[in-house]
Amino acid sequence: MPGPGEIRVQVEACGVCRTDLHVVDGELENPRVPIVPGHEIVGRVEALGSGVLSVRVGQRVGIPWLGHACGHCFYCGSGRENLCDTPTFTGYTRDGGYATHTIADAAFVFPLDETADAVALAPLLCAGLIGWRTLKLAGPGKAVGLYGFGAAAHIVAQVCRWQGRDVYAFTRPGDGAAQDFARSLGAVWAGGSDQRPPTELEAALIFAPVGALVPAALRAVRKGGRVICGGIHMSDIPAFAYRLLWEERSVASVANLTRQDGTEFLKVAGEAGVKTQTTAYPLARANEALADLREGRMQGAAVLVP
Ligand SMILES: [Zn+2]
Ligand SMILES: [Zn+2]
């Protein structure tokens, strides 16, 4: 049963995120074990804990990665609840959506379109939302590189195009299918991450968990360019010459999300007409979905359906 301030949600669909791979592979610190993964949850509210007034039974909600933030630490007090000192994270430190039902903090869920396809909505809850935060940190530059053209990039590319930016998509070298997919979503250029784009970039967003992409992206951005790492985990970044960072290039990471990011992004996704490409798997085949993601065997996002 949901506790005070919590809700029980019947899961309609749950997206499979690369972070879930890091969780099951034990690559993140201080996990709660055992844990039910999954933090791109679309579902219907089934029961309310005491004191919950913000949602009603039967309403469709989205449950994101940020499961709870304390509301009173240094970061929460300065509009940065994504950096909260004592957060909980859905599918990492509290049970998530690889399930038929889940419990969420009612204050950290988002109302969702009641009639849209649940599978199509699920990837917006992390790939879309973290992609949006990553894009915001990259600034307003027109020429944007996306390194790793998976679930996040395929959404960000559509947002960039809607904003009038030019997308340069970088995939695993030789991955022609992913490059075609990027072009079909409006990328003006697509190539391997070992290639240089035809023009200097103003910003680069890195979604692949590959540290070697950091110096590669620094090489591709012009003076003042920003390189933003959107993932929670990455292999080590190889040493590189200071001249790659020189001339006010910068590297930063994005951590988690604020509820403000979610509200903003869900509005943008609607206005931009973002269409996700998904592959649905029955919940019982969750391990197969994770394996396919690991091997890059799908375009867009995998989504589990209980
Ligand atoms: Zn995620
Ligand atoms: Zn806090």
Side-chain angles (χ1 to χ4, degrees), residues 66 142 144 146 172 178 192 226 240 249 274:
L66 184 66
K142 185 170 164 70
V144 177
L146 303 179
R172 298 182 208 211
R226 301 187 194 179
F240 55 86
R249 293 174 180 86
V274 168

Side-chain angles (χ1 to χ4, degrees), residues 69-77 80-81 83-87:
C70 77
H72 51 73
C73 71
F74 174 75
Y75 300 100
C76 284
R80 292 179 290 171
E81 64 185 7
L83 299 177
C84 177
D85 283 329
T86 54

Side-chain angles (χ1 to χ4, degrees), residues 16-20 39-40 65 125-127 130:
V16 177
C17 175
R18 181 162 291 279
T19 298
D20 303 341
H39 57 269
E40 297 183 295
W65 168 250
L125 270 306
C126 180
I130 298 287

Side-chain angles (χ1 to χ4, degrees), residues 83-97:
L83 299 177
C84 177
D85 283 329
T86 54
T88 63
F89 296 117
T90 310
Y92 174 36
T93 59
R94 61 186 294 151
D95 282 334

Side-chain angles (χ1 to χ4, degrees), residues 138-164:
K142 185 170 164 70
V144 177
L146 303 179
Y147 284 78
F149 205 85
H154 101 284
I155 294 171
V156 171
Q158 296 176 57
V159 173
C160 283
R161 194 175 160 194
W162 174 72
Q163 292 176 325

Side-chain angles (χ1 to χ4, degrees), residues 2 7 10 50 60 92 111 142 184 191 199 201 208 222 300:
I7 53 177
Q10 182 180 13
S50 63
R60 177 181 264 176
Y92 174 36
K142 185 170 164 70
S184 77
T199 184
L201 305 176
R222 65 193 312 156

